[in-house]
Amino acid sequence: MKLLVTGGCGFIGSNFVRLMLRTHPDWSIVNFDKLTYAGNPANLSSIEDDPRYRFRRGDVCDEAAVETAIGPGVDAVVNFAAETHVDRSITDPEAFLRTDILGTHVLLEAVRRHGVTRFLQVSTDEVYGHVADGSSHEGYPLAPRSPYAASKAGADLQVLAYHVTYGTPVLISRGSNTYGPYQYPEKLIPLFVTNLLEDQQVPVYGDGLQVRDWLHVDDHCRGIEHVLLHGTPGHAYNVGGGNARTNIEITQRLLTQLGKDPQRYVRHVEDRPGHDRRYALDSAKLRTLGWSPRVDFEEGLAQTVTWYQEHESWWRPIRSGAFADYYRAQYASLRGAK
Ligand code: DAU
């Protein structure tokens, strides 16, 4: 199988590329990535000399560049390319509309022209919005509540419309909150771990009782692989970890592992605007096809913390660059939570 992976230098994309080359000796992968702030070629340094791997720099919104990347002979396209951070979508929504919606459209058109046999859209549980109780299955109404989630929902709807209108062989995976090695340190877990490793406080939004369902990145990648190989075109599949935890529970675990006193290191700050209180995914549809998560959450989280401890050379350059300006702008003006 010859795959075109977009956004393969990001967190989930790079873990996916590495895992697929490891598990499928007969696969080859072209990685098409714009290298935005979150795309890091260092994530793939271990495979850059693998003859089955090729990198091409480009933007999914650029039709000509996509046309060249897709070339002849691509069997499947897996679209990881996206702006993904909710807080950034609140301050700069336009970038999300461009990459997440327009970029997906450009890819769908290229897939249609080239008769590619599988197009997999990597989506998110955030398209269902806040889930007050129970869990969201794939038929649940889409009710996104942040510019990020709305951009992903817009892309999902386009993808499904291409199936109905043109018969494009599309698939959608909707993953829950993902953690593991190589995650850019703006997201909860890597931000808090690297803050603590730098002996700084961690900013918990509001009361910290928001609930997320945590999924190890390897389980997420195996879920995407499973959808790609066994999914039915025109369908979406939830990929949930089944590890519902409040943010404060996560914070406590990180503080304990790193030996930090909660009184001193936790700072409750004002809440994220429109903050979704709870996500919960029903992944029965994908489980019926034979996928299930393998990584125990407590073990996976502890290993992830250790990974950041052992890979300072990966995150220190990130934290000292443009990230430092982002961090100041995002957090400096936040008041303490009431
Ligand atoms: O659910 C899947 C989604 O999970 C993905 O589609 C998104 O790309 C990914 O960013 C993530 O969205 P969240 O907004 O849930 O992730 P984040 O790591 O930003 O925040 C997780 C929770 O932690 C959320 O309730 C907000 C809270 N939080 C986050 C940050 C960055 C804090 O309390 N303080 C913080 O500084």
Side-chain angles (χ1 to χ4, degrees):
M1 173 124 86
K2 186 172 173 195
L3 281 186
L4 174 67
V5 165
T6 62
C9 290
F11 164 49
I12 306 174
S14 62
N15 276 285
F16 180 81
V17 169
R18 265 185 277 105
L19 191 66
M20 292 308 105
L21 289 177
R22 210 163 54 235
T23 39
H24 299 280
D26 53 339
W27 284 19
S28 65
I29 298 183
V30 175
N31 172 16
F32 182 77
D33 194 301
K34 186 180 176 186
L35 298 183
T36 63
Y37 76 92
N40 188 348
N43 296 2
L44 288 171
S45 54
S46 63
I47 53 117
E48 67 192 4
D49 296 327
D50 189 320
R52 297 170 301 151
Y53 171 74
R54 208 148 52 87
F55 173 69
R56 263 181 187 277
R57 186 169 188 176
D59 182 350
V60 283
C61 296
D62 178 344
E63 252 177 70
V66 167
E67 183 62 28
T68 317
I70 207 163
V74 165
D75 300 300
V77 174
V78 183
N79 182 27
F80 291 93
E83 292 289 339
T84 68
H85 193 42
V86 174
D87 292 327
R88 289 188 195 249
S89 84
I90 293 168
T91 48
D92 179 18
E94 199 176 314
F96 290 71
L97 299 181
R98 276 184 56 73
T99 302
D100 301 6
I101 301 184
L102 183 62
T104 302
H105 163 74
V106 169
L107 289 171
L108 283 166
E109 279 298 306
V111 161
R112 198 153 82 83
R113 271 196 308 277
H114 285 268
V116 172
T117 53
R118 284 276 212 240
F119 175 82
L120 193 153
Q121 172 73 0
V122 178
S123 185
T124 167
D125 63 359
E126 301 211 5
V127 296
Y128 302 116
H130 161 69
V131 180
D133 44 35
S135 50
S136 41
H137 55 79
E138 293 79 356
Y140 210 79
L142 302 193
R145 289 161 28 98
S146 71
Y148 160 67
S151 74
K152 293 299 284 184
D156 279 18
L157 293 175
Q158 272 201 87
V159 167
L160 294 171
Y162 266 64
H163 179 70
V164 174
T165 310
Y166 308 110
T168 311
V170 303
L171 297 150
I172 297 176
S173 63
R174 294 191 180 131
S176 64
N177 276 68
T178 306
Y179 71 98
Y182 297 101
Q183 187 169 29
Y184 190 84
E186 65 190 350
K187 306 279 168 95
L188 177 77
I189 290 175
L191 177 71
F192 283 18
V193 172
T194 53
N195 269 18
L196 294 171
L197 290 174
E198 286 192 338
D199 207 37
Q200 290 183 39
Q201 289 186 312
V202 295
V204 173
Y205 292 153
D207 60 11
L209 296 178
Q210 304 84 0
V211 175
R212 296 293 183 265
D213 170 3
W214 293 96
L215 172 67
H216 190 275
V217 67
D218 287 347
D219 283 329
H220 193 163
C221 292
R222 282 189 282 262
I224 292 168
E225 174 194 27
H226 215 82
V227 173
L228 185 66
L229 295 177
H230 306 292
T232 304
H235 281 245
Y237 295 86
N238 290 342
V239 189
N243 301 298
R245 300 285 188 284
T246 61
N247 294 337
I248 208 73
E249 280 178 87
I250 301 286
T251 307
Q252 281 294 352
R253 285 205 164 267
L254 303 179
L255 289 161
T256 305
Q257 186 169 347
L258 294 171
K260 302 285 189 190
D261 173 10
Q263 302 291 351
R264 242 186 91 197
Y265 285 91
V266 173
R267 180 171 169 247
H268 283 271
V269 296
E270 65 185 280
D271 213 347
R272 174 186 275 176
H275 199 168
D276 285 334
R277 197 74 181 157
R278 177 175 179 268
Y279 300 135
L281 270 187
D282 175 346
S283 307
K285 188 171 168 185
L286 189 56
R287 283 175 179 259
T288 308
L289 292 186
W291 171 87
S292 58
R294 298 182 201 164
V295 181
D296 171 81
F297 179 65
E298 273 67 37
E299 248 171 61
L301 186 62
Q303 282 166 5
T304 300
V305 173
T306 305
W307 187 88
Y308 281 90
Q309 285 177 301
E310 289 172 351
H311 290 79
E312 274 197 37
S313 59
W314 181 84
W315 59 263
R316 278 223 185 264
I318 296 174
R319 296 226 355 157
S320 58
F323 177 86
D325 298 332
Y326 160 77
Y327 190 79
R328 250 190 313 277
Q330 173 63 27
Y331 293 96
S333 62
L334 292 182
R335 292 186 305 275
K338 299 190 183 79

